[in-house]
Amino acid sequence: MQILKIVITGAYAAGKTQFIRTISDIEPVSTDYSVTLEEERALKHETTVALDFGTIAINDRLSLYLFGTPGQERFDFMWEHLAIGALGYVVMVDSCRPAHFAETQRLMARFADITDAPFVVAANKQDDEAALPPSYVRRRLGVPPETPVLPCVARERESVKRVLLSLLHLIAAQVCD
């Protein structure tokens, strides 16, 4: 069996854990612990401190292993470890929180230093009326035109599937070049 490693990354509370939970064929492995910082507790009560892990069986011969990173910069030492061997990655962005876009830009710059693997940006929470459109997310983050910025709802399986298929197409195009 061939295994493709994909990393799901993004800023704090962008939807990484939910993304993996929505699509994984197994009960995801999570390292969630209670949030300790008051300002972070306003967004959610638990946070990933090491990784999330899920799998998707594409067919009898091919599986995706999804590794979710912690979003907080104090756990960024895990980003490098999780990126080893990854064929591509998804950058999750909470489209409703433009104040956190600078944090996402720092994360994207760090990942560009860590790996040259292709990536897509998932503009999450597109089902929320406060969500900014993917075109605005692209401009604010400075994402180059050749990198897809896709609408996403991490709680919807078809939405997550579209994001992953877009990344797989990018990976395949890079392999064929």
Side-chain angles (χ1 to χ4, degrees):
M1 169 167 303
Q2 185 176 9
I3 296 168
L4 303 178
K5 181 179 180 180
I6 304 295
V7 172
I8 314 302
T9 193
Y12 177 74
K16 301 173 295 295
T17 299
Q18 184 61 54
F19 185 95
I20 292 172
R21 284 181 204 266
T22 296
I23 198 80
S24 181
D25 291 336
I26 64 167
E27 180 64 33
V29 175
S30 292
T31 58
D32 289 350
Y33 287 91
S34 294
V35 173
T36 56
L37 299 176
E38 191 65 39
E39 64 272 11
E40 292 172 351
R41 205 172 305 130
L43 294 172
K44 61 182 191 170
H45 297 287
E46 289 189 330
T47 189
T48 302
V49 297
L51 64 96
D52 292 314
F53 174 76
T55 66
I56 305 168
I58 304 298
N59 56 39
D60 292 344
R61 299 183 333 268
L62 181 64
S63 286
L64 295 182
Y65 280 13
L66 305 176
F67 289 85
T69 69
Q72 298 157 307
E73 287 186 53
R74 68 178 183 262
F75 300 122
D76 69 352
F77 61 91
M78 287 300 299
W79 300 350
E80 233 172 283
H81 296 292
L82 293 173
I84 294 170
L87 294 180
Y89 59 101
V90 175
V91 176
M92 298 291 296
V93 180
D94 183 339
S95 300
C96 299
R97 293 187 312 146
H100 291 86
F101 285 5
E103 188 179 338
T104 301
Q105 286 175 308
R106 287 191 299 275
L107 178 137
M108 290 171 61
R110 178 76 189 282
F111 259 81
D113 288 341
I114 294 171
T115 180
D116 60 356
F119 71 97
V120 299
V121 176
N124 194 23
K125 302 184 184 177
Q126 288 294 304
D127 57 337
D128 189 311
E129 63 185 33
L132 298 163
S135 58
Y136 181 84
V137 171
R138 173 186 297 283
R139 272 194 324 277
R140 280 289 303 275
L141 294 178
V143 177
E146 66 274 8
T147 301
V149 177
L150 307 158
C152 182
V153 178
R155 295 182 188 282
E156 295 177 4
R157 187 173 176 82
E158 284 304 309
S159 181
V160 171
K161 186 176 168 182
R162 278 191 301 273
V163 170
L164 289 172
L165 285 172
S166 179
L167 177 61
L168 291 173
H169 287 298
L170 254 176
I171 292 166
Q174 192 176 63
V175 169
C176 293
D177 281 348

